[in-house]
């Protein structure tokens, strides 16, 4: 399947488009489903605070993920595993307050849903009631079927996440998932399972591009790729990777659209030199 140019991936009626649409109401999971029907591709970014979320919202990003990747990006953890539900509720509420249009999806962190459907419902209910998110995301395919089913039946939209699932890093490591016939068939079973359970979309992380394209073809719900090639319905990146704030190596699938680490470092050094040299503050910065 040939990828269409960007202009051909958007509906002619801009008011209905997820990205670049004219509406100001909150985007819903129904809007996401309609985009799949139209063949419209759409972007998703992570966000963890009100100010950053407001920038992305104003830029027209239709879906913002309050990811447990905050553990790596902002809380100083080596993995997402230590992130707590309390932390996710705090971050998610900030992102909701900083936005007007974007659908806000919040991760259920490790340990908040693995016990079973009842625990998943308690955890997801907190994020919906306390933080005001429009949907939650959880990891796992067939193993998370019952959790997804109960949440959806209870009125909480769920985005699923299969392929590389970072909360399982101690079991699977950081490596491509779905290579080989058996692994590919398992990933397809996982994708169909989360769809059957009622998920409105599914993230495919670090999956061979051809397999991701096949999953996208067979599912009627949107697929969101990260390291899964160009033929998913949507794409997501961690914003600190996308804007060049992350130090050191970033995954191969990341495209860096700015170098904020350099910009911020330069600004901090310029400020420090002004203070040390006595050129800040000047009279114009003083209050009388």
């Amino acid at each position: 399947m040939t990828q269409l140019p960007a202009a051909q991936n958007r509906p002619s009626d801009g008011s209905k488009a997820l990205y670049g649409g004219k509406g100001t109401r909150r985007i819903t999971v129904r809007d996401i489903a309609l985009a799949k029907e139209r063949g419209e591709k759409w972007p998703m970014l992570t966000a963890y605070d009100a100010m950053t979320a407001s920038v992305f919202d104003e830029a027209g990003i239709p879906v913002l993920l309050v990811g447990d990747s905050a553990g790596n990006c902002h809380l100083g953890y080596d993995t997402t595993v230590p992130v707590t539900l309390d932390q996710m509720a705090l971050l998610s509420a900030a992102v909701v307050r900083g936005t007007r249009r974007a659908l806000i999806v919040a991760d259920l962190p490790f340990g908040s849903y693995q016990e079973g459907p009842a625990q998943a419902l308690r955890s997801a209910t907190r994020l919906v009631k306390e933080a005001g998110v429009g949907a939650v995301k959880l990891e796992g395919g067939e193993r998370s079927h019952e959790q997804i089913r109960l949440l959806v039946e209870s009125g909480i939209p769920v985005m699923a996440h299969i392929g590389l699932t970072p909360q399982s890093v101690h079991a699977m490591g950081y490596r491509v998932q779905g290579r080989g016939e058996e692994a590919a068939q398992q990933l397809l079973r996982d994708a169909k399972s989360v769809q059957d359970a009622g998920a409105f979309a599914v993230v495919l992380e670090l999956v061979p591009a051809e397999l991701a394209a096949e999953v996208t073809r067979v599912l009627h719900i949107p697929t969101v790729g990260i390291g899964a090639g160009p033929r998913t319905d949507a794409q997501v990146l961690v914003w600190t990777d996308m804007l060049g704030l992350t130090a050191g190596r970033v995954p191969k699938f990341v495209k860096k659209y700015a170098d904020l680490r350099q910009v911020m470092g330069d600004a901090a050094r310029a400020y420090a030199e002004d203070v040390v040299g006595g050129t800040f503050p000047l009279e114009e910065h003083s209050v009388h």
Side-chain angles (χ1 to χ4, degrees):
M1 184 174 71
T2 302
Q3 185 181 6
L4 296 173
Q8 293 179 257
N9 286 326
R10 296 177 183 171
S12 58
D13 181 359
S15 64
K16 295 181 179 179
L18 289 184
Y19 172 69
K22 301 172 185 176
T24 56
R25 65 168 175 79
R26 283 280 181 191
I27 289 170
T28 68
V29 296
R30 175 168 169 73
D31 297 314
I32 301 300
L34 291 173
K36 172 86 171 184
E37 293 179 12
R38 295 192 300 264
E40 178 193 353
K41 290 181 175 289
W42 46 274
M44 181 166 80
L45 285 172
T46 63
Y48 316 105
D49 65 272
M51 186 174 293
T52 305
S54 71
V55 173
F56 297 155
D57 196 47
E58 291 168 7
I61 303 299
V63 185
L64 294 178
L65 171 65
V66 188
D68 57 5
S69 49
N72 310 80
C73 301
H74 292 285
L75 301 179
Y77 300 133
D78 292 331
T79 72
T80 65
V81 173
V83 177
T84 68
L85 186 59
D86 285 343
Q87 290 168 332
M88 290 304 305
L90 178 69
L91 299 174
S92 299
V95 170
V96 170
R97 288 193 295 268
T99 56
R100 294 177 178 270
R101 181 173 181 264
L103 170 64
I104 309 303
V105 182
D107 267 337
L108 289 178
F110 180 74
S112 69
Y113 62 95
Q114 280 84 357
E115 288 179 16
Q119 186 200 28
L121 180 57
R122 287 193 301 272
S123 299
T125 298
R126 277 198 62 190
L127 295 178
V128 172
K129 288 174 67 70
E130 296 179 20
V133 302
V136 299
K137 181 170 75 65
L138 56 78
E139 296 181 1
E142 290 181 320
R143 63 183 168 87
S144 296
H145 178 97
E146 292 306 310
Q147 284 94 325
I148 295 170
R149 182 185 61 79
L150 180 59
L151 294 186
V152 173
E153 289 178 351
S154 301
I156 300 176
V158 177
M159 178 179 284
H161 184 151
I162 62 175
L164 174 66
T165 49
Q167 292 175 9
S168 303
V169 60
H170 296 310
M172 65 170 55
Y174 291 108
R175 55 190 177 86
V176 175
Q177 302 297 305
R179 280 182 173 157
E181 182 62 26
E182 183 178 347
Q185 289 304 312
Q186 180 59 59
L187 191 122
L188 280 165
R189 287 194 296 271
D190 284 336
K192 292 175 181 178
S193 179
V194 299
Q195 175 176 267
D196 292 344
F200 74 89
V202 57
V203 172
L204 306 177
E205 181 166 359
L206 215 58
V207 172
E210 290 301 320
L211 178 57
E214 175 66 8
V215 172
T216 302
R217 186 185 67 80
V218 301
L219 294 189
H220 63 73
I221 62 174
T223 57
V224 183
I226 178 167
R231 288 179 284 176
T232 54
D233 297 301
Q235 297 289 333
V236 62
L237 284 176
V238 172
W239 85 260
T240 52
D241 293 342
M242 186 271 291
L243 288 177
L245 193 59
T246 304
R249 294 180 61 186
V250 296
K252 176 184 177 182
F253 56 77
V254 171
K255 180 176 179 179
K256 191 165 69 171
Y257 287 83
D259 191 351
L260 285 195
R261 194 171 188 88
Q262 183 68 46
V263 171
M264 293 173 69
D266 289 346
R269 285 184 286 271
Y271 160 71
E273 289 169 5
D274 280 359
V275 171
V276 171
T279 57
F280 176 83
L282 299 175
E283 183 66 23
E284 62 199 77
H285 306 118
S286 303
V287 176
H288 299 286

